[in-house]
Amino acid sequence: MPEMHFHVRWPDERIEACYSPSLVIRDHFAVGATYPLDEFRERSRVALTTAAERVREKYGFLCSRALAQLARIEAAAARFEATPGASVTIVSFED
């Protein structure tokens, strides 16, 4: 199963490399696109849950690494909930 990393820029300008066990991320995000915080969080939930399920379909177990990445995204996003107009930009994909 092809895994990938996607790099995001948080509202504080910090860039983070995020992991996915599947290229499904490309179906939910576009390089250079900026998403409102809530939309980024929801797209991340859908994409990483889908990726974890694809691992289950192929290997018989959920991808804990994808779920851990989702938890990190959720925690990071929570820090910016009170920031008006907070958004996240997709910087790049790395296969």
Side-chain angles (χ1 to χ4, degrees):
M1 179 162 278
E3 58 185 21
M4 69 175 294
H5 288 86
F6 56 106
H7 298 86
V8 302
R9 180 179 302 114
W10 291 100
D12 63 359
E13 299 298 317
R14 181 177 57 89
I15 295 177
E16 179 179 358
C18 300
Y19 170 80
S20 173
S22 167
L23 301 180
V24 71
I25 295 299
R26 293 177 183 271
D27 296 340
H28 296 273
F29 295 112
V31 171
T34 300
Y35 301 93
L37 186 64
D38 287 342
E39 182 180 350
F40 173 73
R41 188 173 13 211
E42 183 57 28
R43 285 175 179 257
S44 295
R45 284 180 191 135
V46 172
L48 289 168
T49 301
T50 300
E53 286 292 339
R54 286 185 177 184
V55 170
R56 183 200 315 256
E57 290 169 11
K58 185 166 185 171
Y59 299 106
F61 55 87
L62 278 174
C63 179
S64 60
R65 193 168 168 199
L67 299 178
Q69 179 62 68
L70 178 56
R72 284 191 299 278
I73 286 172
E74 297 273 3
R79 293 194 320 258
F80 301 106
E81 285 180 355
T83 304
S87 61
V88 180
T89 300
I90 306 302
V91 176
S92 64
F93 292 143
E94 181 184 333
D95 295 342

Short mmCIF file of all heavy atoms in Angstrom, two decimals, residues 50-90:
data_model
loop_
_atom_site.label_atom_id
_atom_site.label_comp_id
_atom_site.label_asym_id
_atom_site.label_seq_id
_atom_site.Cartn_x
_atom_site.Cartn_y
_atom_site.Cartn_z
N THR A 50 -10.58 6.91 6.27
CA THR A 50 -10.64 6.11 5.04
C THR A 50 -9.33 5.36 4.82
O THR A 50 -9.32 4.17 4.49
CB THR A 50 -10.96 7.00 3.83
OG1 THR A 50 -12.23 7.63 4.03
CG2 THR A 50 -10.99 6.20 2.54
N ALA A 51 -8.21 6.06 5.01
CA ALA A 51 -6.90 5.43 4.85
C ALA A 51 -6.72 4.27 5.83
O ALA A 51 -6.24 3.19 5.46
CB ALA A 51 -5.79 6.46 5.04
N ALA A 52 -7.11 4.49 7.08
CA ALA A 52 -6.99 3.43 8.09
C ALA A 52 -7.86 2.23 7.73
O ALA A 52 -7.45 1.07 7.92
CB ALA A 52 -7.37 3.97 9.47
N GLU A 53 -9.05 2.49 7.18
CA GLU A 53 -9.94 1.41 6.77
C GLU A 53 -9.37 0.65 5.57
O GLU A 53 -9.54 -0.58 5.47
CB GLU A 53 -11.33 1.95 6.43
CG GLU A 53 -12.14 2.34 7.65
CD GLU A 53 -12.54 1.15 8.52
OE1 GLU A 53 -12.55 -0.01 8.04
OE2 GLU A 53 -12.84 1.38 9.70
N ARG A 54 -8.70 1.35 4.67
CA ARG A 54 -8.08 0.66 3.53
C ARG A 54 -7.02 -0.33 4.00
O ARG A 54 -6.87 -1.41 3.44
CB ARG A 54 -7.47 1.67 2.56
CG ARG A 54 -8.51 2.39 1.75
CD ARG A 54 -7.89 3.30 0.73
NE ARG A 54 -8.92 3.91 -0.08
CZ ARG A 54 -8.69 4.70 -1.11
NH1 ARG A 54 -7.45 4.96 -1.48
NH2 ARG A 54 -9.69 5.22 -1.78
N VAL A 55 -6.29 0.05 5.05
CA VAL A 55 -5.32 -0.87 5.63
C VAL A 55 -6.04 -2.08 6.21
O VAL A 55 -5.61 -3.22 6.02
CB VAL A 55 -4.45 -0.16 6.70
CG1 VAL A 55 -3.60 -1.16 7.47
CG2 VAL A 55 -3.58 0.90 6.04
N ARG A 56 -7.17 -1.84 6.89
CA ARG A 56 -7.93 -2.95 7.45
C ARG A 56 -8.40 -3.91 6.35
O ARG A 56 -8.31 -5.13 6.48
CB ARG A 56 -9.16 -2.47 8.23
CG ARG A 56 -9.90 -3.64 8.87
CD ARG A 56 -11.33 -3.40 9.27
NE ARG A 56 -11.64 -2.19 9.95
CZ ARG A 56 -11.89 -2.09 11.26
NH1 ARG A 56 -11.81 -3.16 12.02
NH2 ARG A 56 -12.22 -0.94 11.78
N GLU A 57 -8.88 -3.35 5.24
CA GLU A 57 -9.33 -4.18 4.13
C GLU A 57 -8.20 -5.05 3.58
O GLU A 57 -8.42 -6.20 3.22
CB GLU A 57 -9.91 -3.31 3.01
CG GLU A 57 -11.22 -2.66 3.38
CD GLU A 57 -11.66 -1.60 2.37
OE1 GLU A 57 -11.05 -1.49 1.28
OE2 GLU A 57 -12.61 -0.87 2.68
N LYS A 58 -7.01 -4.50 3.53
CA LYS A 58 -5.89 -5.23 2.93
C LYS A 58 -5.20 -6.17 3.93
O LYS A 58 -4.82 -7.28 3.57
CB LYS A 58 -4.88 -4.25 2.37
CG LYS A 58 -3.75 -4.92 1.63
CD LYS A 58 -2.94 -3.97 0.80
CE LYS A 58 -1.92 -4.75 0.00
NZ LYS A 58 -1.23 -3.95 -0.97
N TYR A 59 -5.04 -5.72 5.19
CA TYR A 59 -4.23 -6.48 6.15
C TYR A 59 -5.01 -7.03 7.34
O TYR A 59 -4.45 -7.76 8.15
CB TYR A 59 -3.09 -5.60 6.68
CG TYR A 59 -2.15 -5.15 5.59
CD1 TYR A 59 -2.16 -3.84 5.14
CD2 TYR A 59 -1.25 -6.04 5.01
CE1 TYR A 59 -1.31 -3.42 4.13
CE2 TYR A 59 -0.39 -5.63 3.99
CZ TYR A 59 -0.42 -4.32 3.57
OH TYR A 59 0.42 -3.91 2.56
N GLY A 60 -6.27 -6.61 7.49
CA GLY A 60 -7.08 -7.15 8.57
C GLY A 60 -7.04 -6.36 9.87
O GLY A 60 -7.60 -6.79 10.88
N PHE A 61 -6.40 -5.20 9.88
CA PHE A 61 -6.37 -4.35 11.08
C PHE A 61 -6.29 -2.89 10.66
O PHE A 61 -5.76 -2.57 9.60
CB PHE A 61 -5.19 -4.71 11.99
CG PHE A 61 -3.86 -4.66 11.28
CD1 PHE A 61 -3.14 -3.48 11.19
CD2 PHE A 61 -3.33 -5.81 10.72
CE1 PHE A 61 -1.92 -3.44 10.52
CE2 PHE A 61 -2.11 -5.78 10.05
CZ PHE A 61 -1.40 -4.60 9.95
N LEU A 62 -6.85 -2.03 11.50
CA LEU A 62 -6.78 -0.59 11.24
C LEU A 62 -5.35 -0.09 11.34
O LEU A 62 -4.56 -0.65 12.11
CB LEU A 62 -7.62 0.18 12.26
CG LEU A 62 -9.10 0.29 12.02
CD1 LEU A 62 -9.76 0.96 13.23
CD2 LEU A 62 -9.40 1.07 10.76
N CYS A 63 -5.02 0.95 10.62
CA CYS A 63 -3.69 1.54 10.70
C CYS A 63 -3.63 2.48 11.90
O CYS A 63 -4.19 3.58 11.88
CB CYS A 63 -3.36 2.31 9.42
SG CYS A 63 -1.74 3.09 9.48
N SER A 64 -2.98 2.04 12.96
CA SER A 64 -2.88 2.85 14.17
C SER A 64 -2.07 4.12 13.93
O SER A 64 -2.31 5.15 14.56
CB SER A 64 -2.29 2.05 15.32
OG SER A 64 -0.99 1.61 14.98
N ARG A 65 -1.15 4.07 13.00
CA ARG A 65 -0.34 5.25 12.70
C ARG A 65 -1.20 6.36 12.07
O ARG A 65 -1.02 7.54 12.37
CB ARG A 65 0.81 4.86 11.79
CG ARG A 65 1.87 5.91 11.69
CD ARG A 65 3.11 5.37 11.02
NE ARG A 65 3.99 6.47 10.67
CZ ARG A 65 4.96 6.40 9.79
NH1 ARG A 65 5.20 5.26 9.17
NH2 ARG A 65 5.70 7.45 9.53
N ALA A 66 -2.15 5.99 11.21
CA ALA A 66 -3.06 6.97 10.62
C ALA A 66 -3.96 7.57 11.69
O ALA A 66 -4.20 8.78 11.72
CB ALA A 66 -3.90 6.34 9.52
N LEU A 67 -4.44 6.74 12.61
CA LEU A 67 -5.30 7.23 13.68
C LEU A 67 -4.51 8.11 14.65
O LEU A 67 -5.05 9.10 15.16
CB LEU A 67 -5.97 6.06 14.39
CG LEU A 67 -6.87 5.20 13.49
CD1 LEU A 67 -7.45 4.04 14.28
CD2 LEU A 67 -7.97 6.04 12.85
N ALA A 68 -3.24 7.79 14.87
CA ALA A 68 -2.39 8.63 15.72
C ALA A 68 -2.16 9.98 15.04
O ALA A 68 -2.15 11.03 15.71
CB ALA A 68 -1.07 7.94 16.01
N GLN A 69 -1.99 9.97 13.72
CA GLN A 69 -1.82 11.23 13.00
C GLN A 69 -3.07 12.08 13.12
O GLN A 69 -3.00 13.28 13.34
CB GLN A 69 -1.50 10.98 11.52
CG GLN A 69 -1.34 12.25 10.71
CD GLN A 69 -0.20 13.11 11.21
OE1 GLN A 69 0.95 12.72 11.09
NE2 GLN A 69 -0.50 14.27 11.77
N LEU A 70 -4.22 11.46 13.00
CA LEU A 70 -5.47 12.18 13.15
C LEU A 70 -5.58 12.80 14.54
O LEU A 70 -5.97 13.95 14.69
CB LEU A 70 -6.67 11.26 12.88
CG LEU A 70 -8.05 11.89 13.05
CD1 LEU A 70 -8.20 13.13 12.19
CD2 LEU A 70 -9.12 10.85 12.73
N ALA A 71 -5.18 12.06 15.56
CA ALA A 71 -5.20 12.59 16.93
C ALA A 71 -4.27 13.80 17.06
O ALA A 71 -4.61 14.79 17.72
CB ALA A 71 -4.81 11.50 17.92
N ARG A 72 -3.10 13.76 16.41
CA ARG A 72 -2.18 14.91 16.44
C ARG A 72 -2.79 16.12 15.74
O ARG A 72 -2.66 17.24 16.20
CB ARG A 72 -0.84 14.54 15.83
CG ARG A 72 0.03 13.69 16.77
CD ARG A 72 1.46 13.53 16.28
NE ARG A 72 1.57 12.88 14.99
CZ ARG A 72 1.53 11.56 14.80
NH1 ARG A 72 1.36 10.74 15.83
NH2 ARG A 72 1.65 11.05 13.59
N ILE A 73 -3.46 15.87 14.61
CA ILE A 73 -4.13 16.96 13.89
C ILE A 73 -5.22 17.56 14.76
O ILE A 73 -5.34 18.79 14.87
CB ILE A 73 -4.68 16.47 12.53
CG1 ILE A 73 -3.51 16.27 11.56
CG2 ILE A 73 -5.71 17.44 11.97
CD1 ILE A 73 -3.89 15.61 10.25
N GLU A 74 -6.01 16.72 15.39
CA GLU A 74 -7.10 17.20 16.27
C GLU A 74 -6.54 18.06 17.41
O GLU A 74 -7.07 19.12 17.71
CB GLU A 74 -7.88 16.02 16.84
CG GLU A 74 -8.60 15.18 15.80
CD GLU A 74 -9.98 15.69 15.45
OE1 GLU A 74 -10.39 16.75 15.95
OE2 GLU A 74 -10.64 15.03 14.64
N ALA A 75 -5.45 17.60 18.01
CA ALA A 75 -4.84 18.35 19.11
C ALA A 75 -4.27 19.68 18.64
O ALA A 75 -4.46 20.71 19.30
CB ALA A 75 -3.75 17.51 19.77
N ALA A 76 -3.61 19.67 17.50
CA ALA A 76 -3.04 20.91 16.97
C ALA A 76 -4.15 21.89 16.59
O ALA A 76 -4.06 23.08 16.89
CB ALA A 76 -2.15 20.62 15.76
N ALA A 77 -5.20 21.40 15.97
CA ALA A 77 -6.31 22.26 15.56
C ALA A 77 -6.99 22.88 16.78
O ALA A 77 -7.41 24.05 16.73
CB ALA A 77 -7.32 21.46 14.74
N ALA A 78 -7.07 22.14 17.87
CA ALA A 78 -7.72 22.65 19.08
C ALA A 78 -7.02 23.90 19.60
O ALA A 78 -7.67 24.79 20.17
CB ALA A 78 -7.75 21.57 20.15
N ARG A 79 -5.71 24.00 19.37
CA ARG A 79 -4.97 25.18 19.85
C ARG A 79 -5.39 26.46 19.13
O ARG A 79 -5.16 27.56 19.64
CB ARG A 79 -3.47 24.96 19.66
CG ARG A 79 -2.89 23.87 20.53
CD ARG A 79 -1.37 23.90 20.58
NE ARG A 79 -0.73 24.18 19.32
CZ ARG A 79 -0.16 23.28 18.52
NH1 ARG A 79 -0.18 22.01 18.86
NH2 ARG A 79 0.42 23.63 17.40
N PHE A 80 -5.99 26.32 17.94
CA PHE A 80 -6.34 27.49 17.14
C PHE A 80 -7.84 27.77 17.08
O PHE A 80 -8.28 28.66 16.35
CB PHE A 80 -5.80 27.32 15.72
CG PHE A 80 -4.32 27.15 15.68
CD1 PHE A 80 -3.76 25.91 15.40
CD2 PHE A 80 -3.47 28.21 15.94
CE1 PHE A 80 -2.39 25.74 15.37
CE2 PHE A 80 -2.09 28.06 15.90
CZ PHE A 80 -1.55 26.82 15.63
N GLU A 81 -8.64 27.03 17.84
CA GLU A 81 -10.09 27.20 17.79
C GLU A 81 -10.54 28.62 18.10
O GLU A 81 -11.51 29.10 17.54
CB GLU A 81 -10.78 26.21 18.73
CG GLU A 81 -10.78 24.81 18.18
CD GLU A 81 -11.44 23.81 19.11
OE1 GLU A 81 -11.83 24.19 20.24
OE2 GLU A 81 -11.58 22.66 18.69
N ALA A 82 -9.84 29.30 18.99
CA ALA A 82 -10.23 30.65 19.38
C ALA A 82 -9.64 31.72 18.47
O ALA A 82 -9.89 32.91 18.65
CB ALA A 82 -9.81 30.92 20.83
N THR A 83 -8.86 31.31 17.48
CA THR A 83 -8.23 32.26 16.56
C THR A 83 -9.20 32.59 15.43
O THR A 83 -9.54 31.71 14.63
CB THR A 83 -6.93 31.66 15.97
OG1 THR A 83 -6.07 31.27 17.04
CG2 THR A 83 -6.23 32.65 15.06
N PRO A 84 -9.65 33.84 15.35
CA PRO A 84 -10.58 34.20 14.27
C PRO A 84 -9.95 33.97 12.89
O PRO A 84 -8.80 34.33 12.65
CB PRO A 84 -10.83 35.69 14.50
CG PRO A 84 -10.42 35.95 15.93
CD PRO A 84 -9.33 34.96 16.22
N GLY A 85 -10.71 33.35 12.02
CA GLY A 85 -10.25 33.13 10.65
C GLY A 85 -9.13 32.13 10.50
O GLY A 85 -8.46 32.11 9.47
N ALA A 86 -8.91 31.29 11.49
CA ALA A 86 -7.82 30.31 11.43
C ALA A 86 -8.01 29.39 10.23
O ALA A 86 -9.11 28.92 9.95
CB ALA A 86 -7.76 29.49 12.72
N SER A 87 -6.90 29.15 9.54
CA SER A 87 -6.95 28.27 8.37
C SER A 87 -5.65 27.48 8.28
O SER A 87 -4.64 27.84 8.89
CB SER A 87 -7.17 29.07 7.09
OG SER A 87 -6.12 29.98 6.89
N VAL A 88 -5.70 26.42 7.49
CA VAL A 88 -4.56 25.53 7.30
C VAL A 88 -4.32 25.39 5.80
O VAL A 88 -5.26 25.18 5.03
CB VAL A 88 -4.83 24.14 7.93
CG1 VAL A 88 -3.65 23.21 7.73
CG2 VAL A 88 -5.15 24.29 9.41
N THR A 89 -3.05 25.50 5.41
CA THR A 89 -2.68 25.39 4.00
C THR A 89 -1.95 24.08 3.75
O THR A 89 -1.09 23.68 4.54
CB THR A 89 -1.77 26.57 3.59
OG1 THR A 89 -2.49 27.78 3.81
CG2 THR A 89 -1.36 26.48 2.12
N ILE A 90 -2.29 23.44 2.65
CA ILE A 90 -1.57 22.23 2.24
C ILE A 90 -0.36 22.69 1.43
O ILE A 90 -0.49 23.27 0.36
CB ILE A 90 -2.46 21.29 1.38
CG1 ILE A 90 -3.76 20.97 2.11
CG2 ILE A 90 -1.68 20.03 1.00
CD1 ILE A 90 -3.61 20.31 3.46
#
